[in-house]
Amino acid sequence: MTFDDLVAEAETAPVAGWDFSWLDGRATEARPSWGYQRLMSRRLAMVASALDIQTGGGEVLAGAATFPPTMAATESWPPNLDRATRLLGPRGVVVVADPDEPPLPFADAAFELVLSRHPATVWWDEIARVLMPGGTYLAQHVGPASVFELTEYFLGPQPEARRARDPESESAAARAAGLDIVDLRAERLKMEFFDIGAVVYFLRKVIWIVPGFTVDDHRDKLAALHRKIEADGSFVAHSSRHLIEARKPG
């Protein structure tokens, strides 16, 4: 396929939800060794109440085998909200529209377990507030300089942004909100994009990698990257992830 064909195909592909199956055979990403979805499933089977913050289209949460009697999820983006409601509602999950700003629409000490996978923002005081004493926050966060090979290819050096999402800084913020850090693990993981369509689709879906990305604004750089991928076989980047577990004192 030509550059124009690949770009046109990726521009029209639906990007709602958090399903990346469109990239099968076109891009790869190594997964963290801890297996977040497996950990999440185990914890959900051990509690009576849980909340998943910023659930996206609900695809990750839906991977759990069982849910506790009280199970809620929040989401802000309307297409994801609709998708999550249709996916999780039949399994008894209450999906709540929430703007991803304080306060969370729940009472104090409402949940034994709070979960989140790749939250855009983390409001530690609110997480601490809705957790029961002895309750746990278990999450996989995007770490510092994640996929910055792509970010800086399009936007140039981003020294300030590189320092954001530091796991140690997040741990300090959690402790300041009254939570104890139980576990903290970080990994950088190889990603490969095998055609320019995969890059366009990824940037349309993961909108914070290149904020405001459009094909028209970046066509020249996309064409140059297309030539590079054809010459090298792929474009290599690295995602940054950390697992964080925090507990509210009993």
Side-chain angles (χ1 to χ4, degrees):
M1 295 176 71
T2 68
F3 168 77
D4 288 335
D5 290 339
L6 290 166
V7 169
E9 181 187 25
E11 272 195 294
T12 57
V15 293
W18 212 237
D19 176 9
F20 285 82
S21 59
W22 192 88
L23 291 174
D24 289 352
R26 309 180 77 153
T28 60
E29 179 181 356
R31 298 301 180 191
S33 60
W34 49 76
Y36 173 76
Q37 194 169 56
R38 183 177 65 252
L39 293 176
M40 175 195 75
S41 286
R42 289 176 183 168
R43 298 300 181 89
L44 285 169
M46 298 166 61
V47 298
S49 58
L51 167 67
D52 188 38
I53 297 174
Q54 299 179 34
T55 197
E59 297 91 348
V60 176
L61 184 61
T66 59
F67 292 134
T70 298
M71 183 74 234
T74 66
E75 176 55 33
S76 62
W77 194 41
N80 275 349
L81 189 64
D82 177 69
R83 187 182 182 95
T85 300
R86 287 186 282 107
L87 183 61
L88 299 171
R91 296 185 60 189
V93 180
V94 177
V95 181
V96 180
D98 178 71
D100 294 341
E101 295 179 358
L104 286 166
F106 304 102
D108 295 358
F111 301 101
E112 286 183 65
L113 177 66
V114 174
L115 303 162
S116 197
R117 182 180 180 275
H118 303 176
T121 51
V122 183
W123 305 101
W124 290 108
D125 288 339
E126 280 300 288
I127 291 167
R129 181 183 66 79
V130 301
L131 276 173
M132 294 178 181
T136 295
Y137 175 69
L138 179 69
Q140 180 174 293
H141 289 186
V142 175
S146 188
V147 204
F148 259 45
E149 294 91 343
L150 268 182
T151 300
E152 295 185 331
Y153 175 82
F154 287 98
L155 302 180
Q158 305 286 306
E160 291 298 320
R162 275 187 168 273
R163 290 192 281 271
R165 299 179 176 271
D166 176 69
E168 295 297 337
S169 297
E170 290 195 348
S171 297
R175 286 191 289 267
L179 302 174
D180 297 327
I181 301 301
V182 176
D183 195 4
L184 182 66
R185 294 180 247 171
E187 294 180 0
R188 289 190 68 80
L189 304 147
K190 184 178 180 181
M191 303 175 69
E192 283 190 272
F193 297 88
F194 298 109
D195 68 58
I196 198 64
V199 173
V200 170
Y201 177 86
F202 182 78
L203 294 179
R204 290 182 59 227
K205 194 176 186 75
V206 190
I207 58 175
W208 54 85
I209 299 298
V210 179
F213 171 82
T214 67
V215 168
D216 287 344
D217 286 346
H218 298 286
R219 183 169 289 275
D220 288 347
K221 286 199 170 185
L222 286 167
L225 186 56
H226 168 68
R227 293 191 292 271
K228 178 177 174 58
I229 292 172
E230 287 202 318
D232 298 345
S234 69
F235 179 82
V236 176
H238 296 85
S239 62
S240 178
R241 303 285 183 263
H242 54 272
L243 180 76
I244 186 165
E245 180 178 352
R247 186 169 298 146
K248 185 173 181 177

